[in-house]
Amino acid sequence: MSASLKTNFLGFDYENPFMNASGVHCMSTTELDELANSKAGAFITKSSTPNDRTGNPSPRYVSVPLGSINSMGLPNKGIDYYLDYVLDRQAKYPNEAPIFFSVAGMSVDDNLSMLHKIQNSNFNGVTELNLSCPNVPGKPQVAYDFELTIEILTKVFDFFKKPLGIKLPPYFDFAHFEIMSDILNKFPLTYVNSINSVGNGLYIDVEKESVVIKPKNGFGGIGGEYVKPTALANVRAFYTRLNPSIKIIGTGGIKSGQDAFEHLLCGATMLQIGTELQKEGVSIFDRVTKELQEIMDKKGYKTIDEFRGKLNSL
Ligand code: SIN
C-alpha cells in the first residue's frame, strides 16, 4: 500500500499537508473555490484588512527564473468578503476540512477589530495573523519589532479564544530565533508559519537596466527557490525551540515533493506553496502529492509522522 499523506492538525485529519500560501490564488471566491476543489489538503484566504484595498501600482508581481519578486501592498476585498465566503462554505460543507483565514491589519487596532469580528462570528476554522508583510510603503514589519509583537499578542489573547497562528518573516540570526521563540512560547499559539517572503530584495532586468516592479523603486519580497534554505532554517530553528504544542507551517521554496520532504524533515506539519502555485496553477497539488508519496514509498515510510522533525546532525 502507498504511503499516506494524512496530516492531523488541530484534531482534524487533512488529506495531505499542502495548502496555498496566503496571497496566491486566494483573492476571489472563484480562486478560493478552485483551491477547495483541488488536491490541496487545506487552503487559506488572502490576508484581509478591515476595508478593501487596491494595493500598490502594477507591475507588482513578477516571476523570475529562480522564484518571484512582489510588492503587492495587500490588495484584498476586505474582511467581510472573506468572512462571508468561509461562513457560507462551512455551512454548505460541514464535513470539509477547516479553512484557514488570514488577517493583516495596518495597525494594532485594525488587527484587534478584525479578530473581534472573527471571534464573534461562527467561523470554526483557523485564523492566521500576518505579522510579516514587507510591502506596504512606510509600514515596517511588525514581527521585526519584538516589543510590538508582545503588545499585539498580549492584547489578542485577552479575548481571542479560537485557534490562532502567526505568519512570520525570516530571521537570520540565532539571537533573533531565541528572542522570538521566548516571546512566542508565552502565548497559546496554535502554530507559527515560517516564512513570509524575504523582504526588500531587488531584481534587475539587465537589458533594460531597470528594476522589474513599480512600487518602492523595485524593492520587493523574494520567494521561490532563492529562499528555500532560509525557510528550512527558520522551520528548523522554531521547531527545535517552540513548545511542542505550537505547530510549524513550512512555507518557502516548495516546488517539488523533495522540497516538501525537506520541510517535513525540519519539523513542519503543514506546507504552503506560493511562488510555484502562481506559476503552475492548482494542478501543482496533484504533482507534489504524488512526488512526496513516491519519495516516502522509496524510503519505506508509511506516514509523515515517521520522519517529521527527524533531521540528522553530523
Ligand atoms: C502583499 O500583499 O504585499 C503580500 C502580503 C505579504 O507578504 O504578507
Side-chain angles (χ1 to χ4, degrees):
M1 212 176 68
S2 202
S4 163
L5 300 188
K6 277 220 172 9
T7 297
N8 191 281
F9 187 84
L10 267 179
F12 186 89
D13 273 333
Y14 290 87
E15 273 308 306
N16 63 65
F18 293 104
M19 316 170 51
N20 63 307
S22 177
V24 181
H25 209 97
C26 56
M27 183 79 82
S28 66
T29 56
T30 308
E31 288 182 328
L32 289 164
D33 279 341
E34 282 167 8
L35 284 171
N37 297 326
S38 77
K39 262 277 185 187
F43 67 94
I44 185 164
T45 57
K46 169 69 183 163
S47 294
S48 59
T49 48
N51 298 303
D52 60 336
R53 283 174 56 87
T54 50
N56 293 337
S58 294
R60 57 191 186 177
Y61 182 106
V62 175
S63 283
V64 296
L66 294 180
S68 63
I69 180 165
N70 89 85
S71 182
M72 302 295 288
L74 288 173
N76 77 94
K77 294 176 184 289
I79 185 171
D80 291 342
Y81 177 91
Y82 300 103
L83 201 50
D84 285 350
Y85 174 81
V86 296
L87 292 176
D88 187 53
R89 183 131 201 132
Q90 73 186 27
K92 269 196 203 133
Y93 308 102
N95 298 323
E96 204 172 70
I99 301 171
F100 288 67
F101 192 96
S102 174
V103 294
M106 296 286 146
S107 65
V108 177
D109 283 349
D110 270 8
N111 282 321
L112 296 180
S113 77
M114 288 191 288
L115 291 173
H116 269 294
K117 202 171 239 187
I118 295 169
Q119 176 66 37
N120 296 333
S121 75
N122 287 328
F123 178 55
N124 62 16
V126 191
T127 303
E128 178 167 296
L129 177 59
N130 179 354
L131 298 180
S132 55
C133 177
N135 302 327
V136 180
K139 297 271 177 198
Q141 293 194 45
V142 173
Y144 284 149
D145 181 336
F146 299 122
E147 293 303 313
L148 186 56
T149 301
I150 295 171
E151 182 194 332
I152 291 186
L153 292 180
T154 304
K155 288 182 172 161
V156 166
F157 282 112
D158 235 21
F159 68 90
F160 198 79
K161 303 298 170 206
K162 295 182 176 182
L164 184 91
I166 53 171
K167 176 99 173 251
L168 292 179
Y171 297 93
F172 302 94
D173 195 294
F174 275 83
H176 295 158
F177 291 138
E178 301 296 350
I179 294 169
M180 201 58 184
S181 301
D182 285 349
I183 293 171
L184 300 179
N185 276 332
K186 295 194 169 68
F187 295 97
L189 284 162
T190 296
Y191 72 87
V192 158
N193 184 350
S194 269
I195 56 172
N196 205 329
S197 54
V198 173
N200 296 309
L202 199 54
Y203 189 88
I204 290 172
D205 178 333
V206 172
E207 279 299 305
K208 296 186 182 145
E209 302 181 12
S210 166
V211 301
V212 297
I213 56 172
K214 188 172 173 68
K216 295 174 69 178
N217 292 321
F219 284 67
I222 305 294
E225 290 178 55
Y226 292 115
V227 311
K228 189 178 76 171
T230 300
L232 293 174
N234 276 259
V235 168
R236 189 66 184 161
F238 284 118
Y239 180 76
T240 51
R241 284 169 179 76
L242 292 178
N243 299 330
S245 59
I246 305 179
K247 302 296 173 215
I248 313 288
I249 296 187
T251 306
I254 300 179
K255 181 176 176 175
S256 67
Q258 182 183 317
D259 301 323
F261 186 83
E262 291 173 14
H263 269 265
L264 295 166
L265 210 49
C266 287
T269 297
M270 302 292 280
L271 304 170
Q272 295 188 350
I273 305 182
T275 296
E276 206 53 33
L277 167 60
Q278 176 74 27
K279 283 188 188 169
E280 256 181 81
V282 295
S283 63
I284 189 173
F285 295 112
D286 296 79
R287 181 173 66 73
V288 289
T289 48
K290 270 198 210 102
E291 288 175 2
L292 177 57
Q293 218 156 21
E294 276 164 20
I295 291 172
M296 289 171 62
D297 286 343
K298 224 180 193 162
K299 286 177 173 280
Y301 290 125
K302 294 271 171 260
T303 68
I304 293 173
D305 284 338
E306 290 168 35
F307 63 93
R308 186 196 320 286
K310 297 192 178 148
L311 178 66
N312 291 316
S313 291
L314 298 181

